[in-house]
């Protein structure tokens, strides 16, 4: 599924639309816009020019010349395709087919180019002026003070890192990889991490995001190849545990993660 790394690739692709005016917008699925009707989104977009892009966590934003902002969310399987090119051809858990029936949101530019959000499972959405208030700091830039704040919870550290209102951008794969690298048990109560371990967690999180971005995606972690029955820890060779933590399938090593 698209996590911060993939959504940042989409945001970079979105940069190719800056300076371009929108001739048409189509939203075939009436339930795809969030908190707003299809007609309002279409009316806002047609005649507008995209003037900038940004991202917070898994939310990509196109800024319009009207001052309004178009938010794009990609859910489990959403892909952004700009002028026929997808920054990511195959997503984990998704299809590598590009079926036009899965196009949930389509923009045609005056210059003839096309932007499409192709989303087989339809958990993504489009939104006007999305609120950032509900999102925590972006995981790629979160400060130590922000992370100290984020872990003040009686829930597991895994639940906290997946909670977009605490820290924005991480999904299941990035959380498992980060905790494995940071030697922190996903089941540990978040607030029991002392300052030093939180600072370490933040360092590892940012380094992991940067490294997996260079490798090409959230599924390029060292732990990923072992996400199967019988997988062993790449660090110490111990059998990996596979259990539900915070409602998600979690792979971890009880030998070195504490
Ligand atoms: Zn281990």
């Amino acid at each position: 599924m698209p996590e911060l790394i993939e959504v940042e690739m989409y945001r970079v692709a979105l940069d190719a639309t800056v300076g371009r005016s929108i001739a048409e917008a189509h939203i075939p699925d009436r339930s795809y816009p969030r908190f707003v009707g299809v007609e309002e989104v279409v009316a806002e977009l047609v005649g507008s020019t995209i003037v900038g892009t940004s991202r917070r966590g898994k939310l990509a934003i196109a800024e319009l010349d009207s001052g309004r902002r178009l938010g794009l969310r990609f859910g489990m399987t959403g892909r952004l395709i700009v002028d026929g090119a997808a920054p990511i051809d195959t997503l984990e858990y998704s299809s590598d087919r590009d079926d036009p029936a899965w196009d949930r949101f389509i923009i045609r530019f005056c210059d003839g180019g096309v932007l499409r959000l192709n989303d087989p499972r339809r958990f993504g959405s489009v939104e006007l002026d999305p609120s950032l208030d509900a999102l925590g700091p972006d995981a790629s830039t979160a400060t130590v003070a922000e992370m100290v704040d984020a872990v003040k919870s009686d829930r597991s550290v895994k639940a906290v890192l997946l909670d977009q209102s605490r820290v924005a951008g991480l999904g299941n794969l990035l959380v498992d990889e980060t905790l494995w690298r940071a030697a922190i048990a996903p089941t540990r109560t978040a607030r029991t991490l002392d300052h030093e371990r939180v600072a370490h967690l933040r360092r590892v999180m940012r380094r992991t995001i940067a490294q997996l971005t260079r490798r090409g995606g959230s599924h390029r972690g060292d732990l990923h190849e072992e996400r199967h029955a019988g997988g062993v820890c790449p660090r110490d060779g111990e059998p990996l545990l596979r259990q539900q933590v915070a409602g998600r399938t979690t792979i971890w090593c009880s030998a070195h993660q504490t």
Side-chain angles (χ1 to χ4, degrees), residues 180 233-238 240 252-257:
W180 175 77
C233 176
R235 185 178 295 188
D236 48 42
E238 291 295 319
L240 290 166
W252 67 290
C253 172
S254 59
H256 85 268
Q257 290 177 252

Side-chain angles (χ1 to χ4, degrees), residues 47-188:
S48 290
T49 299
I50 295 176
V51 294
T53 67
S54 59
R55 182 189 57 76
R56 171 88 73 88
K58 303 179 196 174
L59 172 70
I61 295 171
E63 290 146 18
L64 306 175
D65 57 343
S66 60
R68 298 195 75 178
R69 293 169 306 125
L70 171 72
L72 302 173
R73 295 178 203 270
F74 302 92
M76 293 289 290
T77 56
R79 295 189 302 165
L80 192 71
I81 300 163
V82 178
D83 300 328
I88 300 165
D89 286 331
T90 308
L91 273 179
E92 290 285 299
Y93 313 121
S94 187
S95 169
D96 53 6
R97 273 202 303 143
D98 179 14
D99 188 330
W102 297 330
D103 285 343
R104 312 297 175 188
F105 178 67
I106 305 148
I107 286 176
R108 289 183 199 288
F109 295 100
C110 295
D111 61 15
V114 177
L115 173 152
R116 294 185 289 130
L117 205 172
N118 188 268
D119 183 4
R121 292 187 63 186
R122 237 178 40 173
F123 288 120
S125 61
V126 296
E127 195 176 337
L128 284 177
D129 300 325
S131 168
L132 299 182
D133 296 348
L135 291 175
D138 192 82
S140 66
T141 52
T143 64
V144 174
E146 286 170 334
M147 290 306 293
V148 165
D149 232 30
V151 300
K152 285 179 185 158
S153 168
D154 294 325
R155 290 181 298 156
S156 67
V157 62
K158 171 132 188 184
V160 162
L161 293 182
L162 285 172
D163 181 346
Q164 302 298 302
S165 72
R166 297 255 170 187
V167 47
L170 304 179
N172 202 39
L173 299 181
L174 276 176
V175 170
D176 279 4
E177 178 78 14
T178 297
L179 292 176
W180 175 77
R181 290 181 178 208
I184 295 170
T187 49
R188 171 184 276 276

